[in-house]
Amino acid sequence: GQQVMQIPQYQHVQEGEDFTTYCNSSTTLSNIQWYKQRPGGHPVFLIQLVKSGEVKKQKRLTFQFGEAKKNSSLHITATQTTDVGTYFCADQFSGGYNKLIFGAGTRLAVHP
Amino acid sequence: NAGVMQNPRHLVRRRGQEARLRCSPMKGHSHVYWYRQLPEEGLKFMVYLQKENIIDESGMPKERFSAEFPKEGPSILRIQQVVRGDSAAYFCASSQRGGQEPEQYFGPGTRLTVT
């Protein structure tokens, strides 16, 4: 079945360093969504990528969708302690409704 | 405008008991998705419901689990005869339309612990 792999599993950075998480699939991804989950919290929608090669920015966050639509990445520039949490990518089911296939997530720890 | 509500937030059950998890979608939303998150893992889709209909239950275990979304009232995820492996966070998400609109709004989750 549809599988989404996400790496790394954990990332520890010093505040001010950059951070990147990668999402990959052996099959073509439909639409990619990115979510952030704070410790003890619930997933919060960040963005959706639809088009091949798409790049979107939200302040210090840059989201990319690969040309072949088989990978995606989230890059955070100059991390802050407020960036702490787990970042998930999710492929949107292609059957016409918003069922999501989540990656395992990357847990980000930021040391001040 | 209240968000997605789930209750209880924490639920402790002994093995063999029943667990009932409730999800009230955002106002005006008639589509509900349930996901399960095991510790240190991503969310796994369980079931997608519209009012009074189960659309996709491909992620639901065949036994002991059931879901409903009645015409009136919240969506219910029911787990009968719980086992330790059912311990997880259960999230519901709602959307206004049934298409591939981008945002799903997640509730705060119910953390189920089976002792």
Side-chain angles (χ1 to χ4, degrees), chain B residues 20-47:
Chain B
R20 278 188 181 233
L21 288 60
R22 294 173 190 78
C23 169
S24 297
M26 287 181 69
K27 187 176 180 180
H29 287 195
S30 58
H31 302 263
V32 166
Y33 302 79
W34 284 93
Y35 294 85
R36 176 164 64 176
Q37 185 176 34
L38 295 171
E40 308 293 323
E41 293 189 13
L43 285 80
K44 297 282 193 282
F45 169 80
M46 298 182 76
V47 62

Side-chain angles (χ1 to χ4, degrees), chain B residues 53-113:
Chain B
N53 290 303
I54 296 174
I55 307 301
D56 182 341
E57 56 181 349
S58 58
M60 287 269 278
K62 295 271 187 284
E63 296 177 356
R64 302 189 298 108
F65 285 72
S66 62
E68 62 177 14
F69 190 12
K71 188 176 179 181
E72 302 291 336
S75 176
I76 307 281
L77 180 67
R78 183 179 175 211
I79 311 172
Q80 294 178 291
Q81 299 175 325
V82 295
V83 300
R84 288 231 172 95
D86 296 332
S87 295
Y90 292 83
F91 292 95
C92 74
S94 75
S95 63
Q96 190 172 29
R97 298 180 298 275
Q100 288 187 295
E101 70 271 22
E103 286 194 58
Q104 268 189 31
Y105 299 88
F106 281 85
T110 294
R111 270 80 179 170
L112 172 65
T113 302

Side-chain angles (χ1 to χ4, degrees), chain A residues 8-112:
Chain A
Q9 190 175 2
Y10 301 99
Q11 185 81 56
H12 298 252
V13 300
Q14 288 293 127
E15 191 172 18
E17 291 182 337
D18 292 356
F19 159 76
T20 305
T21 173
Y22 301 90
C23 190
N24 298 287
S25 174
S26 58
T27 58
T28 302
L29 298 162
S30 177
N31 301 324
I32 275 287
Q33 297 184 9
W34 285 91
Y35 288 80
K36 177 183 179 181
Q37 185 178 25
R38 292 184 185 274
H42 59 277
V44 175
F45 175 82
L46 295 176
I47 209 158
Q48 175 168 281
L49 304 173
V50 176
K51 298 177 183 174
S52 165
E54 191 169 16
V55 178
K56 288 188 176 179
K57 292 191 176 185
Q58 289 179 352
K59 297 183 181 178
R60 294 179 295 105
L61 276 62
T62 302
F63 304 84
Q64 288 191 307
F65 205 0
E67 291 291 343
K69 296 187 77 173
K70 288 191 173 182
N71 58 77
S72 180
S73 65
L74 158 59
H75 179 82
I76 303 178
T77 304
T79 54
Q80 301 173 359
T81 54
T82 53
D83 295 326
V84 164
T86 302
Y87 292 85
F88 293 98
C89 62
D91 187 24
Q92 192 178 41
F93 175 67
S94 57
Y97 47 89
N98 205 358
K99 166 181 167 180
L100 298 173
I101 310 301
F102 279 85
T106 296
R107 179 180 287 184
L108 174 63
V110 180
H111 302 289

